[in-house]
Every structure is written in C-alpha cells, then in structure tokens.
Amino acid sequence: MGKRVAIIGAGVSGLATIRSCLEEGLEPTCFERSEDIGGLWKFSDHAEEGRASIYQSVFTNSSKEMMCFPDFPYPDDFPNFMHNNKIQEYITAFAKEKNLLKYIQFKTLVSGVNKRPDFSVTGQWDVTTERDGKKESTIFDAVLICSGHHVYPNLPKESFPGLKLFKGKCLHSREYKEPGIFKGKRVLVIGLGNSGCDIATELSYMAKQVIISSRSGSWVISRVWDDGYPWDMVFVNRCETFLKNNLPKAISDWWYKKQMNAKFKHENYGLMPLNGALRKEPVFNDELPARILCGTVSIKPNVKEFTETSAIFEDGTVFEAIDCVIFATGYGFAYPFLDESIIKSRNNEITLFKDIFSPSLEKPTLGIIGLVQSLGAAIPTVDLQARWAVKVIKGTCALPSVTDMMNDIDKKMREKLKWFGTSKTMQTDYINYMDELASFIGAKPSIPWLFLTDPRLAVEVFFGPCSPYQFRLVGPGKWPGARNAILTQWDRTLKPTKTRAVGTPLKPCLPCRWVRLLALPILVIALFLALIQ
C-alpha cells in the first residue's frame, strides 16, 4: 500500500474517499464516532452530540438517477425520491459491494489533528483518537475531513429581542423527530428552508396552528416537474447551464424566475424572495402551497420581538399564545479537532481552493470533502471531490501556485456574489464545478467529440439530465457500464411509477423542449426581419 490517509467520518463523503484511496493504491483508515455508516442518513430517534440529525419523515430532494455513486445505480424498483431508510439501505449495499467496512474504526472519536514537527518536509500529521476512554496518537501522511456540515446548529437567539422572556418551548430543527408531541399546539417555525417547510407542513396535520416566519422569502418548487418527471432530471442539464452562462444576465434572470414561478405565483402566497434572480437553493416541498391554501400554514415576515407568550412580526401583526418555537435556521460548520488557522488563509476566513484544499499549507496533505452545496446531489459531488483530492495527495495531480489558487478563489467569490448574493456561501454551480474537478483528473466528457463519435449518447449527455454516470465515462476510474446507464436512465426513472400498465411508458423528447422554448423568439426575429425588408 501507499501513503497512509486518515479519513474522518463514514458518511457518504467518507465512503467515497475510502474507495478513492483504494483505487489509487493508498492505505485509508476511517474514524467514525458512531457505531454505523451513513452519517446524515442514519436516522436516530434522538439528536446525538457531534452527529448530523434528521427527522423520521425525511425524503430526498434529488432523484435516484441523479444522486447515485457514478458506478453503482440504485435498484430499478427503488422510488425516485427515497425515504431516508432507503438511502441507508443503498449506502450499506455500496459499502459492502466495494468492501469498505474493514477500513472503518467505529465508536472512535478524532480529538486532534496536528502538524508533525517536520510537516514542511514530510506533510505528515499526528491524529489523536479516543475509544473506550483511551487516547491514541498515530502518524498519517494525509488527512481528509468528511464530517459534513449539518452537525453544529445555528441558533441566532441574540437576533430576536425578548426571546429570553418567552415562556414556551424553544428548539432547533435538529431536535425535531416526529409531529405527535405537537398535537393541538400553536407552533412558530423560524426559517423558510427545506427543514422549516418540511416540519411546518408535517405539523399542519396535527398542530392547532402553524406559522412560518421568513426573513427574505424563498422559491418553493415541487419534486414533480414538467410532464410529471422528477425536477432534477429535467432542470439539471448541460444545455440549460450553457444558456444560463452565455445569455445576457437580464434574459437569464427572467427565464429563471419564470421557471420558479411556473406552478404558482409566489407573490400571492407570501413566499416571494426579496431578490428572485439570485440562484439560492430553492425549497423542495410538494405540500406547502396546498397547506397555505387550506389555511393550515401561514407565512409571516421576520420576528421583530418576542414577549412571554407571543411573537410580534415586522409588519406589526402578532402570533399569540405560542406553545413552541422551532428554529429551522440551518447549521454552521466547525472542526473542533483542528486548529482553524490551518484552513484560514486570509482575513480569518476559510478560503479553500475548489472548496477542498487550503492554499496556506506548505504541503497539500489535508483536504475537506463535502463542504459545498449546489442544485446537484451530494453523492456524485463528493465522489468526484475525493477522486481529485486523493490524486493530489498521491502526487499524480499538482495544485497551482499559491498566487494562482488565491486568484481562482477571488474569481469564484465574485461569481458567487453575482449569482447567490453573497461571496461567503457554500453554494456553487453544480455542472461547472463538476466539470472543473473532472477536467483535473481527465474525466470530463468532451461534448463535441461525443457528437462526432456517438450522437445518440451525445444527445442524452447534453440535452438530458447531467447524471453522475457522465463522470465515469472516460479517463481514470472509467466505468464500462456508464454509457448504458446513461441510455437507460429514463427506464429506471419510469419503472417504479409504472405499477399499473396503461400503455407504453412515455420518455421525454430531450431536444424538443429546447426547440419549443426557442421557437417563439426565432419567430419574432423572423417577423421583424421580414418587416424591415
């Protein structure tokens, strides 16, 4: 075996990283503080310290064809959007199929990661672990942190005057598990993200009254998109990304807002974002608009202040006799085992090249996997991150100079400010990011070459969903089944819904959607040209 690599966390990021190490001939040791793999997707009926926590009813927001490991499709009969126990079943099957479990040390806490005295020469780390009350320190050639960013709750109590006076119950969404204890209660949910909307809609069937307070609004879209297909199978594609990046921004913004508003007018529901053109991650919820129409959920602006029993909103309205406030206010990320100066390279900010490597390290032997968010799914993202990171650690891929890395970081921060409204966000453009990483390892598919050599596949790759299989088509780690997986992805999408035979399954005509979309402007231009002649 080659270099010894410590991997912290055995969720999907950790498993992808173990597999990548093995593919490159490195020696991985994964430390997991719990007794099982799965990370975020491993449900527990209580929130555990240092671990991500989900509620019992969590389903995926990405469909199965878009969130698999690129060489390990889900079973045909799995639903497109899966309950958390189905994801856990899949993750377990992947770990067993790839023989990863033997590299994991369970019930082992990493309490320290420190540079060795000769780090500038060797790039090595002292990793301190704790198990059964015993501490142990081990030398590793590299460390990859895969502990996720849904562990440490963001609870901004200081932003709500009077909250200390409030006599009802307060909790963060990570502590919420099921709706039964809220039967007949009056509940205020702070936050209009995925968790906040999921919890509010679930509570609306049992609670007496549910109000969501939102500071800035959000787009809310359904998992069911055009013609009933999964949203990401239609929305996340290379053609759409190409047009978004090349059309004038005014047209791109108009188009985006039209897509987000296609099912219902957000202005009429109190949901409209303050800046609808920003590409902040939308909320995925199939029920919220209906619950608002039925009057079981109401949307209010930000809370101005709390009293002992009520909340006063910025519009002057009051929610009286509140029993419980649930803060669905997201998470921060922290690495208590690591000196933060190691990953903070400027103005006390965490600045990472391609969201993985710190430019300030003398040797690129520490990386963070999974510290990124996009409209794409986490599993294919961390798989590609791990493949590149491991090659950097092995020495078969080199990082640019510190100056070039910092310039790239600055460029990306400007792009984030343009598209997401802030430069300090984990969000990124999924396809562009994946293509960047893939190009580093020679795994980016060439669209022009595909159109010349395999037109049928090229149409699926460019016009169809940007599914994970695309990043195992060519180059190192190429999977022989990738082409067939792409050509049959709609079959696997339709199979679980065709439980009653009523004709031939209807697959989308991929280029037709774009022909219809462009037909009107082409017609207008043609008429204009005809009139001026």
Side-chain angles (χ1 to χ4, degrees), residues 258-453:
K258 183 176 176 60
Q259 289 175 305
M260 293 295 103
N261 245 340
K263 299 294 183 183
F264 65 95
K265 302 302 179 186
H266 284 62
E267 300 92 325
N268 297 341
Y269 288 71
L271 296 167
M272 185 71 183
L274 292 180
N275 186 343
L278 295 179
R279 302 315 200 261
K280 292 181 179 180
E281 183 179 4
V283 170
F284 298 94
N285 195 289
D286 305 298
E287 294 187 82
L288 183 60
R291 304 314 293 164
I292 294 173
L293 280 177
C294 293
T296 56
V297 175
S298 301
I299 310 297
K300 288 289 184 179
N302 197 35
V303 174
K304 181 180 179 182
E305 65 175 310
F306 283 93
T307 67
E308 290 184 352
T309 60
S310 63
I312 304 171
F313 300 104
E314 289 181 346
D315 62 359
T317 57
V318 181
F319 186 23
E320 301 277 6
I322 302 173
D323 295 297
C324 182
V325 177
I326 300 176
F327 287 88
T329 44
Y331 294 84
F333 55 88
Y335 307 107
F337 48 80
L338 184 70
D339 181 352
E340 284 199 347
S341 65
I342 291 173
I343 54 176
K344 289 183 175 180
S345 57
R346 183 179 60 190
N347 300 329
N348 204 36
E349 296 176 350
I350 294 179
T351 46
L352 301 175
F353 179 63
K354 303 307 177 188
D355 300 302
I356 299 174
F357 289 107
S358 172
S360 64
L361 281 176
E362 305 99 302
K363 298 284 185 179
T365 57
L366 181 139
I368 300 177
I369 305 298
L371 191 62
V372 65
Q373 281 184 307
S374 71
L375 277 180
I379 291 177
T381 303
V382 299
D383 181 76
L384 198 48
Q385 284 186 317
R387 290 165 66 190
W388 175 57
V390 167
K391 285 181 178 292
V392 171
I393 289 168
K394 185 180 179 181
T396 53
C397 283
L399 295 182
S401 68
V402 173
T403 300
D404 287 345
M405 285 192 283
M406 293 306 300
N407 288 339
D408 182 82
I409 289 169
D410 288 338
K411 177 185 175 184
K412 291 296 185 290
M413 291 178 77
R414 290 192 296 270
E415 290 175 356
K416 288 181 177 184
L417 183 63
K418 172 185 175 182
W419 293 111
F420 306 115
T422 174
S423 59
K424 299 177 182 178
T425 177
M426 290 188 292
Q427 285 190 266
T428 190
D429 183 286
Y430 176 66
I431 295 178
N432 287 338
Y433 181 67
M434 295 289 280
D435 277 349
E436 279 187 320
L437 296 182
S439 66
F440 292 156
I441 63 173
K444 178 184 174 182
S446 170
I447 307 301
W449 180 250
L450 282 180
F451 272 108
L452 288 172
T453 59

Side-chain angles (χ1 to χ4, degrees), residues 20-187:
S20 292
C21 285
L22 296 174
E23 286 182 331
E24 294 297 323
L26 305 187
E27 184 180 348
T29 301
C30 180
F31 301 106
E32 169 56 46
R33 68 181 296 163
S34 73
E35 59 186 18
D36 202 356
I37 61 174
L40 174 72
W41 294 107
K42 177 63 177 178
F43 174 76
S44 172
D45 59 8
H46 63 281
E48 300 175 22
E49 182 184 357
R51 285 197 65 230
S53 177
I54 57 174
Y55 33 98
Q56 200 279 332
S57 59
V58 164
F59 279 76
T60 63
N61 291 328
S62 297
S63 63
K64 67 176 183 178
E65 289 301 303
M66 299 295 280
M67 67 172 297
C68 62
F69 286 100
D71 58 346
F72 195 73
Y74 287 87
D76 289 3
D77 59 349
F78 269 39
N80 284 286
F81 296 100
M82 294 161 287
H83 186 259
N84 59 81
N85 59 19
K86 281 289 187 185
I87 295 292
Q88 185 66 15
E89 180 183 335
Y90 169 79
I91 292 169
T92 302
F94 174 79
K96 290 179 178 178
E97 172 72 20
K98 304 300 180 181
N99 199 22
L100 306 180
L101 296 177
K102 66 180 181 181
Y103 300 97
I104 305 172
Q105 295 184 19
F106 292 103
K107 297 183 179 180
T108 304
L109 172 69
V110 175
S111 57
V113 174
N114 298 287
K115 293 179 179 179
R116 296 275 296 162
D118 57 354
F119 178 82
S120 61
V121 177
T122 65
Q124 291 181 326
W125 301 84
D126 282 319
V127 177
T128 304
T129 57
E130 298 179 21
R131 180 185 171 91
D132 299 329
K134 297 178 182 178
K135 283 192 175 184
E136 182 180 345
S137 185
T138 310
I139 299 172
F140 285 93
D141 298 300
V143 177
L144 288 169
I145 300 170
C146 305
S147 53
H149 53 85
H150 292 94
V151 176
Y152 301 99
N154 175 38
L155 201 57
K157 292 185 176 181
E158 68 283 351
S159 300
F160 298 97
L163 187 59
K164 291 181 179 179
L165 303 174
F166 180 66
K167 293 183 176 181
K169 185 178 181 180
C170 291
L171 68 149
H172 190 270
S173 58
R174 75 176 257 108
E175 300 172 64
Y176 175 86
K177 293 296 176 180
E178 55 87 26
I181 62 173
F182 297 93
K183 186 176 182 179
K185 304 293 186 182
R186 294 167 62 84
V187 183

